[in-house]
Amino acid sequence: MESNFIVAVGAVIPMFCLMFIGAMVKKYKLLSEEELNHMNRMVFKVFFSCMMFYSIYTTELATVFRPQLMLYGGFGVVAVCFISMFLVCRMEKEDKRRGVMTQALFRSNFVLMGVPIAANIFGDSEIAVTTMMIAVIVPIYNILGVFVLETFRGGRFALWPILLGVLKNPMILGAIVGALFLILGIHVPKPVLKPIGQVAAATTPIALIILGASFRLGSTQEHRSQLIGCVLGRLLIIPGILLSLAVALGFRGVEFVTLISIFATPCAVASFAMAQQMGGDADLAGNCVVFTSALSCVTIFGWILLFKTLGIF
């Protein structure tokens, strides 16, 4: 039991220490809002693409290609989206909040928190499976996010432009290029591959520090019940159902921890930006990100400790 507790602590504490450093950066105003935005764009466009390329290029494709995991993760996200959409419509009357609540429930912070969780438990050498799932889950998040928010603001959902946007996503481009180089046997010289690897290694720490520095707490008075519903759904109800089903279906080891990273992590930071741009309730979206991120240090620890004690990984 003690060793399981240590594994759970080791998976969560490093991640939230980095976010705490980010919070201190914000508190002492070491970076301005504009500088934070520039750094965020740099991490997204440069660091994440290097991480995706490096993790795929330097691994054996046969060992990370898990079709059952890809199907379960992908269909799980889609199912959560449409079930949440149905339930939210029955409980909430305002369209501005319906889209935001649905997105908060199905869209997790898998990219920023998923890889660190897997790396802290299994080590950097075992995270290729988790990284590969980014190429599956991120396009689904982007397509469903636009679909949900456009639906509730009465807009038109255009699939082709969204797909083109997904293909231009730096993470997806990095994954595609890495897979092509690996499949075609294109050799990247060590003096070139080494700095790419160094950038890839720096991606997660920098991204988590920026995440910690980006949090803004808004007023909760007007949407307290909606916020509580989103927090409970995102951190407890959805992971409880999806992870229990995953155990029953036989997922174990790094595959199961990858599913924890998808279904038990807090609301995606991107959901706040999308709500702002597409006419959703931005205050509610921002608070969903802040509160689920803060409370997830307890819930993620609990899920990891529970399933490690049960011997699932």
Side-chain angles (χ1 to χ4, degrees):
M1 181 66 183
E2 185 179 343
S3 62
N4 296 337
F5 182 83
I6 291 169
V7 169
V9 169
V12 173
I13 294 298
M15 193 164 56
F16 287 94
C17 282
L18 289 167
M19 290 170 64
F20 177 75
I21 291 170
M24 292 300 100
V25 167
K26 180 179 181 179
K27 178 179 173 62
Y28 293 106
K29 298 179 181 178
L30 300 179
L31 290 171
S32 67
E33 291 293 326
E34 188 178 355
E35 288 168 337
L36 267 176
N37 290 335
H38 285 309
M39 285 191 70
N40 215 356
R41 280 199 294 273
M42 180 185 70
V43 169
F44 179 66
K45 292 185 176 181
V46 179
F47 282 61
F48 273 116
S49 57
C50 288
M51 182 186 76
M52 292 296 291
F53 174 87
Y54 187 81
S55 62
I56 290 173
Y57 178 76
T58 56
T59 192
E60 291 289 335
L61 201 58
T63 63
V64 299
F65 183 68
R66 311 286 176 93
Q68 290 179 320
L69 178 64
M70 292 175 178
L71 285 171
Y72 186 80
F75 280 118
V77 170
V78 173
V80 169
C81 174
F82 285 102
I83 293 170
S84 299
M85 204 171 176
F86 172 76
L87 293 174
V88 165
C89 284
R90 295 180 69 93
M91 294 184 287
E92 176 57 46
K93 294 179 181 179
E94 287 189 35
D95 281 344
K96 282 183 68 176
R97 290 178 178 171
R98 284 174 168 178
V100 167
M101 291 174 70
T102 301
Q103 189 174 215
L105 290 168
F106 82 80
R107 188 170 191 166
S108 73
N109 214 354
F110 170 50
V111 174
L112 283 181
M113 292 191 170
V115 175
I117 289 171
N120 291 338
I121 294 174
F122 294 101
D124 291 336
S125 60
E126 298 292 324
I127 63 170
V129 172
T130 308
T131 307
M132 179 67 81
M133 281 298 290
I134 292 175
V136 177
I137 299 299
V138 166
I140 296 173
Y141 279 164
N142 289 343
I143 292 167
L144 291 178
V146 175
F147 169 75
V148 166
L149 291 171
E150 285 288 7
T151 298
F152 288 118
R153 77 167 181 177
R156 180 172 168 269
F157 176 73
L159 181 60
W160 183 242
I162 296 169
L163 289 175
L164 285 177
V166 168
L167 288 174
K168 292 177 183 177
N169 184 307
M171 285 184 289
I172 304 303
L173 283 174
I176 292 170
V177 174
L180 285 175
F181 272 52
L182 185 62
I183 292 166
L184 298 176
I186 300 172
H187 177 67
V188 178
K190 281 189 177 180
V192 176
L193 190 61
K194 184 177 179 180
I196 294 174
Q198 289 171 331
V199 173
T203 301
T204 296
I206 293 175
L208 287 171
I209 289 171
I210 293 172
L211 176 62
S214 301
F215 286 148
R216 298 172 190 82
L217 186 63
S219 171
T220 63
Q221 289 181 351
E222 295 181 2
H223 51 243
R224 190 163 295 166
S225 60
Q226 291 89 344
L227 178 62
I228 291 171
C230 290
V231 170
L232 291 175
R234 177 68 256 160
L235 299 181
L236 295 177
I237 298 170
I238 289 168
I241 295 170
L242 272 294
L243 295 178
S244 298
L245 182 57
V247 171
L249 291 174
F251 288 102
R252 297 292 186 272
V254 70
E255 289 189 351
F256 187 81
V257 171
T258 299
L259 293 174
I260 291 178
S261 302
I262 295 170
F263 296 116
T265 46
C267 299
V269 178
S271 61
F272 170 66
M274 285 187 70
Q276 277 185 317
Q277 294 165 16
M278 299 180 69
D281 187 331
D283 286 340
L284 175 58
N287 279 330
C288 284
V289 173
V290 172
F291 278 89
T292 56
S293 297
L295 294 171
S296 67
C297 61
V298 177
T299 58
I300 292 173
F301 170 82
W303 290 122
I304 291 171
L305 179 61
L306 171 64
F307 289 111
K308 179 63 179 174
T309 303
L310 293 174
I312 306 302
F313 60 91

